[in-house]
Amino acid sequence: MIDVSIAAAGFCLLILMMALGFHVAVAMFAISIAGAVGYLGVPAALEYGTQLWGAGNNFVLTAIPLFVLLGEILVRGGFTDKMYRSLADWLYWLPGGLLHTNIVASGMLAAVSGSSVATAATIGTIAIPALEHRKYDQRMVLGSIAAGATLGILIPPSINLILYGAMTGNSVGKLYLAGIIPGILLALLFMGVIVVWGLRSPGMGSEAETVDPLGVRLRRLKDLLPPVVIFTLVMGSIYLGWATPTESAALAVVGAFALTALAGRLSFKMLHECFERTILITAMILLITSAAFYLTFVLGLMGVPEIMADFVTRLNASPSSLILALTIFYLILGCFFDALAMIVGTIPIVYPMTMAVGIDPIWFGIFLVLMAELALITPPMGMNLYVVQGVRKEGSISTVIVGTLPFLVVMLLFIVLVFAFPLLVTWLPEVAF
């Protein structure tokens, strides 16, 4: 068994390689090979093929390409534009006006796509042109889109929760349930930020809104049905015991195909674009995942989980002190790495430490995803900041960054709230299971 200082040095080297611009999968693979050859011998290094095969045939991970495909179908099927319009019919009167539509639409799209980046790009494409001629504060428009899109990795079905469940052996179904209440509460808090901003700037969005007759708005409510139907298919099939998370993803894809066909949007060109994009995203995710699985395998043979757990135990660290340290650690890490890199790169080291002090694994999964959400809007490397700026195609990214700061503060306060009241996360899974 190696010394804890060697494990720490290896972890620091991994972080340094990623900070220097190495691809996440390359950095993890290089550290794994170095550890395998240096401490275990060449046979351990040759096990990468087995680990790659195992990751590719992991039944839980099969859900990832299905959920990616689901999001692509819904976006390219034109459902998001109509959904946004229908939500705007009912949210325009709140302080902050149509900015609330950015949050609610992001939450609904997140609930069927599982991707924050896709949500930011889609809602940004719709919202920015729709609001640019009104007198909305540009910072708040951009900030609400970037922040609202972070809900994509928390509200189920979340690809990041699937990865966490697969890497730690926890139930994806429980993780999905655990993400519902925090996801809804965080969306409401984001809307609260907009209300405060709207009350402070009463002239914001003062451009007269054309309000359609009640009958027209009621008829347009049908445009909210596609995401609701898909979410019900996913969550309902899981918790009624009809399907596993992977099987529910397949059901949702079939449902999305049917809805697209009924809407008259299904075509070979659209399918080709969906499949091509799904392959690209899935290949990237599974490459990183296979490297993470191999890193976990090598660390396990070297006894790193045991020595890290023993180290934390000997420090007599309390759960609160460890979470505080991890919060600071992930805040710093989020300034330089994307959400996926943070999750898969740190789980092999951090997870055993949290288990050693008795932290609930389901709660920790939601905590980790919340910290990854922060990383998506934390400068200078927040992915959502660049996606929104890319959609905007003008001005400086500093405007986007300033607009996200109020939401960043609210997310930090929400993490404190989740730590103070862990039942916000654990209550629903405990009741359901």
Side-chain angles (χ1 to χ4, degrees):
M1 187 176 292
I2 67 172
D3 186 77
V4 66
S5 60
I6 297 175
F11 183 66
C12 290
L13 183 58
L14 172 64
I15 300 299
L16 178 62
M17 289 181 67
M18 289 192 289
L20 290 174
F22 285 85
H23 190 277
V24 179
V26 172
M28 287 193 291
F29 181 70
I31 294 297
S32 303
I33 289 294
V37 174
Y39 291 91
L40 302 171
V42 175
L46 297 177
E47 275 294 304
Y48 177 69
T50 304
Q51 296 300 310
L52 177 61
W53 177 262
N57 286 274
N58 187 304
F59 184 68
V60 175
L61 294 181
T62 307
I64 291 176
L66 290 170
F67 280 125
V68 173
L69 178 59
L70 173 63
E72 290 294 320
I73 294 170
L74 291 175
V75 170
R76 297 178 190 278
F79 296 109
T80 50
D81 301 60
K82 294 180 179 179
M83 178 188 73
Y84 190 92
R85 174 66 221 180
S86 182
L87 289 171
D89 284 341
W90 303 97
L91 297 173
Y92 70 90
W93 59 272
L94 291 168
L98 297 182
L99 294 178
H100 294 283
T101 310
N102 294 343
I103 303 299
V104 179
S106 293
M108 292 188 71
L109 184 58
V112 293
S113 72
S115 169
S116 289
V117 172
T119 301
T122 304
I123 300 301
T125 301
I126 300 168
I128 292 174
L131 300 177
E132 65 180 1
H133 70 281
R134 295 171 171 88
K135 296 178 182 178
Y136 282 91
D137 189 306
Q138 193 175 47
R139 297 167 298 174
M140 205 58 183
V141 172
L142 302 173
S144 63
I145 296 170
T150 64
L151 298 169
I153 64 173
L154 179 61
I155 296 177
S158 164
I159 292 173
N160 295 73
L161 287 177
I162 293 174
L163 288 173
Y164 175 84
M167 291 184 67
T168 61
N170 286 291
S171 166
V172 174
K174 287 185 177 181
L175 289 165
Y176 276 3
L177 274 182
I180 291 176
I181 293 177
I184 293 173
L185 288 177
L186 191 56
L188 291 174
L189 287 173
F190 285 168
M191 293 177 71
V193 171
I194 294 172
V195 167
V196 173
W197 194 302
L199 292 174
R200 288 182 56 193
S201 308
M204 183 175 65
S206 60
E207 185 76 22
E209 295 289 342
T210 302
V211 181
D212 292 317
L214 179 61
V216 174
R217 288 184 286 151
L218 287 173
R219 283 194 296 274
R220 276 205 291 254
L221 283 175
K222 71 179 186 300
D223 295 329
L224 300 180
L225 284 178
V228 171
V229 168
I230 295 301
F231 182 78
T232 303
L233 266 178
V234 173
M235 303 304 291
S237 60
I238 292 174
Y239 298 112
L240 289 175
W242 297 346
T244 64
T246 302
E247 291 164 345
S248 73
L251 283 173
V253 168
V254 172
F257 274 130
L259 290 170
T260 307
L262 288 173
R265 300 262 185 155
L266 196 62
S267 67
F268 284 109
K269 180 178 183 295
M270 178 258 199
L271 289 177
H272 175 76
E273 292 172 349
C274 290
F275 290 139
E276 183 178 47
R277 184 66 180 165
T278 298
I279 291 169
L280 290 172
I281 295 174
T282 302
M284 179 271 293
I285 293 174
L286 292 184
L287 177 63
I288 295 173
T289 304
S290 64
F293 269 66
Y294 182 55
L295 177 61
T296 303
F297 167 75
V298 171
L299 293 178
L301 290 181
M302 294 170 66
V304 171
E306 290 81 3
I307 66 168
M308 296 307 295
D310 181 63
F311 175 70
V312 172
T313 303
R314 284 190 284 109
L315 283 177
N316 200 26
S318 66
S320 56
S321 61
L322 181 59
I323 290 299
L324 176 61
L326 289 177
T327 301
I328 296 171
F329 168 70
Y330 280 120
L331 279 174
I332 296 171
L333 210 60
C335 294
F336 306 101
F337 303 104
D338 67 7
L340 187 60
M342 281 177 56
I343 291 176
V344 300
T346 60
I347 282 178
I349 295 292
V350 171
Y351 184 75
M353 296 165 62
T354 61
M355 296 304 99
V357 298
I359 293 173
D360 185 280
I362 301 299
W363 182 92
F364 181 70
I366 300 303
F367 165 80
L368 185 56
V369 168
L370 283 169
M371 296 308 302
E373 282 191 68
L374 273 172
L376 288 169
I377 56 173
T378 302
M381 296 296 290
M383 184 65 72
N384 282 9
L385 303 176
Y386 291 95
V387 171
V388 172
Q389 177 63 20
V391 172
R392 182 187 176 206
K393 296 178 181 177
E394 63 181 13
S396 169
I397 195 172
S398 61
T399 307
V400 187
I401 293 172
V402 171
T404 59
L405 291 180
F407 299 99
L408 201 80
V409 172
V410 165
M411 290 177 73
L412 283 171
L413 294 175
F414 183 68
I415 290 170
V416 174
L417 183 67
V418 165
F419 180 75
F421 302 99
L423 283 177
L424 292 173
V425 173
T426 59
W427 176 76
L428 201 53
E430 288 173 358
V431 170
F433 288 89

